[in-house]
């Protein structure tokens, strides 16, 4: 059932060209220039008149939510807040019937997310679900929703569900932006054409980085700490990269917005500190180049995720992982793939139980 892979996690990482494609199928109609999403369209007035959108989730799904915030604010210009479900439910949040609450959950069974949704529903908000498991509790309680079509995710560490969540959030942002006029037709058309090309780019990344990342992983089997840095859309991707490593390899890792480094974490950098930095061409590249300079001045070990043909970061980095260029808003989907592989191989070389890490459950049905 692992399809020849040693672990479900590796199988699921490799399924991403298909799972992202499946999540877009029937929704993204590039030739017609249309995004079809019944869940959104049937309630378009609720979205259009929303004061704001509140995204609630936990763990990896919360990271997807952060990227959702960037997407929806950039393309649909609707204010978005992203909250940990566990915080939201206990802090007497201000919610009105003008709010739209989006819950993101792979399992659809996460207790805190479920409780937060019930609260939002009581207060009259319109609640929308992005779940992977069909007919799950969250899918059932929501007013409407869109399933991610990632297929069953068995590995406790979420991989293909995350990139499928990003795909749905992208479709929602573009659909709302197109509808409310914040996303012009020409830009919409070029973005959806690019989105359509993402499964192929993931496939290329898997083919070109797999062996390389495996080799890089060998050098970090004994690391005790990691920093993950990114800016803009790739800041949540850095958080997610760090979470993957923590969960399955038990190495302490922190994700940070790259510019926050000098407000604290830079104190940790010495020749023993590995720093994964996501540095694609589009999206504050020059700023990232300066961050890499600051790290190298302190002898940190830089593992950089860059675009094909990059020169500036390459000159300074200790390890370089190349990914194809894409629009900034899609780069977390592509950049996450080698970070998943890196966490996976470090964990495998440490002899860890990758699919069932200690202390973790696939769905957290208790608070
Ligand atoms: O099923 P959910 O998406 O609601 O789960 C949320 C988190 O428990 C989950 O993402 C967790 O952080 C994963 N183990 C991440 O790999």
């Amino acid at each position: 059932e692992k399809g020849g892979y040693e672990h479900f996690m590796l199988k699921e990482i490799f399924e991403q060209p298909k799972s992202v494609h499946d999540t877009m199928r029937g929704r993204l109609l590039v030739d017609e220039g249309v995004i079809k999403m019944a869940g959104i369209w049937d309630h378009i007035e609720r979205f259009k008149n929303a004061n704001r959108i509140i995204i609630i989730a936990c763990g990896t799904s919360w990271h997807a939510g952060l990227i959702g915030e960037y997407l929806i604010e950039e393309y649909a210009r609707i204010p978005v807040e992203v909250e940990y479900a566990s915080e939201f439910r206990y802090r007497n949040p201000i919610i009105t019937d003008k709010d739209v609450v989006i819950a993101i959950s792979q399992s659809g069974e996460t207790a805190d997310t479920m409780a937060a949704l019930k609260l939002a529903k009581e207060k009259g908000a319109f609640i929308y679900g992005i779940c992977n498991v069909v007919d799950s509790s969250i899918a059932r309680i929501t007013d409407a929703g869109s399933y991610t079509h990632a297929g069953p995710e068995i590995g406790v560490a979420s991989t293909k569900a995350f990139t499928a969540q990003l795909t749905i959030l992208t479709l929602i942002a573009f659909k709302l932006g197109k509808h409310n006029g914040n996303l012009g037709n020409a830009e919409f058309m070029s973005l959806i054409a690019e989105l359509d090309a993402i499964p192929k780019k993931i496939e290329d990344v898997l083919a070109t980085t797999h062996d390389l990342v495996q080799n890089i992983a060998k050098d970090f089997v004994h690391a005790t700490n990691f920093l993950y840095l990114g800016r803009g859309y790739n800041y949540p991707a850095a958080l997610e990269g760090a979470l993957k490593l923590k969960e399955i390899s038990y190495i302490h890792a922190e994700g940070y917005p790259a510019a926050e480094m000098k407000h604290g974490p830079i104190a940790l950098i010495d020749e023993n500190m590995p720093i994964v930095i996501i540095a694609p061409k589009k999206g504050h590249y020059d700023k990232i180049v300066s961050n890499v300079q600051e790290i190298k001045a302190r002898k940190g070990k830089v593992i950089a995720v860059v675009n094909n043909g990059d020169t500036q970061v390459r000159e300074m980095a200790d390890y370089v992982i190349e990914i194809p260029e894409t629009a900034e808003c899609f780069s977390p989907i592509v950049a996450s793939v080698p970070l998943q592989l890196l966490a996976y191989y470090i964990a495998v070389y440490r002899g860890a139980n990758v699919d069932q890490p200690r202390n973790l459950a696939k769905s957290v049905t208790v608070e």
Side-chain angles (χ1 to χ4, degrees), residues 58-61 104-108 110 113 156-158 165 243-244 247 362 364:
C58 304
T60 290
S61 298
I104 308 175
S105 177
Q106 187 287 129
S107 62
T110 301
T113 309
V156 165
S158 184
Q165 289 164 346
L243 178 64
K244 284 292 83 85
E247 286 190 291
K362 183 62 185 162
V364 183

Side-chain angles (χ1 to χ4, degrees), residues 217-226 251 272 274 346 349-350:
K218 287 185 186 141
D219 289 351
F220 293 97
V221 175
H222 301 294
T224 50
N225 283 293
F226 259 82
I251 295 174
N272 297 315
I346 292 177
Y349 294 138
R350 286 165 72 92

Side-chain angles (χ1 to χ4, degrees), residues 164-278:
Q165 289 164 346
L166 297 183
T167 306
I168 289 285
L169 289 161
T170 306
L171 291 170
I172 292 177
F174 292 173
K175 176 140 191 86
L176 294 176
K178 174 90 189 302
H179 183 74
N180 69 18
N182 282 297
L183 177 55
N185 199 50
E187 194 184 0
F188 175 81
M189 293 303 282
S190 92
L191 282 168
I192 62 170
E194 178 67 27
L195 178 58
D196 194 44
I198 293 296
K200 176 71 176 69
K201 290 194 176 175
I202 300 175
E203 203 176 300
D204 293 346
V205 168
L206 285 165
T208 57
T209 68
H210 182 226
D211 292 353
L212 169 77
V213 171
Q214 211 169 328
N215 279 323
I216 298 175
K218 287 185 186 141
D219 289 351
F220 293 97
V221 175
H222 301 294
T224 50
N225 283 293
F226 259 82
L227 273 180
Y228 283 71
L229 305 176
R231 302 180 80 113
Y233 282 93
N234 285 306
Y235 149 54
L239 296 179
E240 174 57 12
L243 178 64
K244 284 292 83 85
L245 186 72
K246 268 185 275 215
E247 286 190 291
I248 59 170
S249 75
Y250 318 136
I251 295 174
H252 171 247
E254 275 191 78
Y256 256 92
E260 273 293 304
M261 186 176 75
K262 53 169 76 67
H263 299 282
I266 198 165
L268 295 167
I269 299 178
D270 63 14
E271 66 281 5
N272 297 315
M273 177 62 97
I275 295 140
V276 175
I277 187 151
I278 310 169

Side-chain angles (χ1 to χ4, degrees), residues 323-350:
I323 60 173
E325 229 179 281
T326 183
E328 190 189 349
C329 64
F330 306 129
S331 64
I333 305 182
V334 183
S336 290
V337 174
L339 301 191
Q340 295 165 348
L341 288 170
L342 183 66
Y344 172 79
Y345 279 107
I346 292 177
V348 166
Y349 294 138
R350 286 165 72 92

Side-chain angles (χ1 to χ4, degrees), residues 228-238 256-262 275-297 302-307 310-314 316-317 328 331 335:
Y228 283 71
L229 305 176
R231 302 180 80 113
Y233 282 93
N234 285 306
Y235 149 54
Y256 256 92
E260 273 293 304
M261 186 176 75
K262 53 169 76 67
I275 295 140
V276 175
I277 187 151
I278 310 169
K281 269 268 145 50
K282 289 188 188 129
H284 321 288
Y285 181 73
D286 295 340
K287 303 278 176 199
I288 289 268
V289 169
S290 334
N291 295 139
V292 177
Q293 280 161 348
E294 289 153 8
I295 296 165
K296 284 318 297 176
V302 172
I303 304 160
V305 178
V306 299
N307 284 141
D310 179 279
T311 52
Q312 272 177 280
V313 172
R314 171 180 287 278
M316 295 182 281
E328 190 189 349
S331 64

